[in-house]
Amino acid sequence: MQASLPLFCIAVTAGKWKPYDHSVFVAEAVQKAMETPGSRVILEIPPRHGKTYTSIVYGGAWYLKNWPGKTFAYVAHTQSLADKYSEKCRLVFESLPYGQGLAADSRAKQNWSTAGLGGGFFSTGVGGPVTGIGFDFMAVDDP
């Protein structure tokens, strides 16, 4: 397993992600949920405090680096938000110098796959399709 999610956030942002108390709390809560099958966590923190970047952008990349054969599902308020943060997560994932990479045919904003193991990132807006799509971890952000 890669470093903890808080350390990963610091590393992939070259120190721009700051380990403020609330940021570390979010990262540790999300990491625990990712590591514990069947668990749930609800985070209620004011807007602009890093929930989406920590849990979706960096958290999604951390999850797929640790478990490249699993699928991370992300549901946002709108499809455009889902696309935006899915793409940002994909860019972080692609930039990592170690481990599994992105599948060669995976360039979509909305859905992309890890190389060789069948895992990946699926995103949709509220009301979008989630039935028939298997996933191992789901994050719902500002529904």
Side-chain angles (χ1 to χ4, degrees):
M1 182 179 306
Q2 302 296 327
S4 69
L5 182 52
L7 292 176
F8 180 85
C9 292
I10 293 167
V12 298
T13 63
K16 291 179 184 174
W17 186 90
K18 300 295 182 196
Y20 300 120
D21 289 346
H22 70 276
S23 302
V24 172
F25 175 83
V26 168
E28 289 176 346
V30 168
Q31 178 178 340
K32 183 176 180 181
M34 289 175 172
E35 293 173 336
T36 310
S39 66
R40 294 181 175 93
V41 63
I42 296 174
L43 300 169
E44 296 185 76
I45 297 174
R48 313 303 312 161
H49 278 70
K51 293 181 305 290
T52 302
Y53 271 88
T54 300
S55 59
I56 307 304
V57 176
Y58 309 132
W62 181 85
Y63 183 81
L64 292 171
K65 274 298 175 186
N66 283 302
W67 300 283
K70 293 193 175 197
T71 300
F72 184 102
Y74 168 49
V75 180
H77 178 68
T78 64
Q79 186 63 58
S80 62
L81 280 176
D83 291 348
K84 174 183 174 179
Y85 291 111
S86 174
E87 182 177 30
K88 288 179 181 294
C89 180
R90 189 191 74 218
L91 292 171
V92 170
F93 184 81
E94 284 181 296
S95 74
L96 299 174
Y98 47 84
Q100 278 307 110
L102 197 64
D105 62 349
S106 199
R107 296 283 173 228
K109 288 181 183 182
Q110 199 174 41
N111 305 316
W112 45 273
S113 302
T114 56
L117 294 174
F121 193 104
F122 170 81
S123 66
T124 191
V126 169
V130 292
T131 57
I133 298 164
F135 51 85
D136 300 286
F137 184 82
M138 177 183 236
V140 179
D141 186 24
D142 295 333

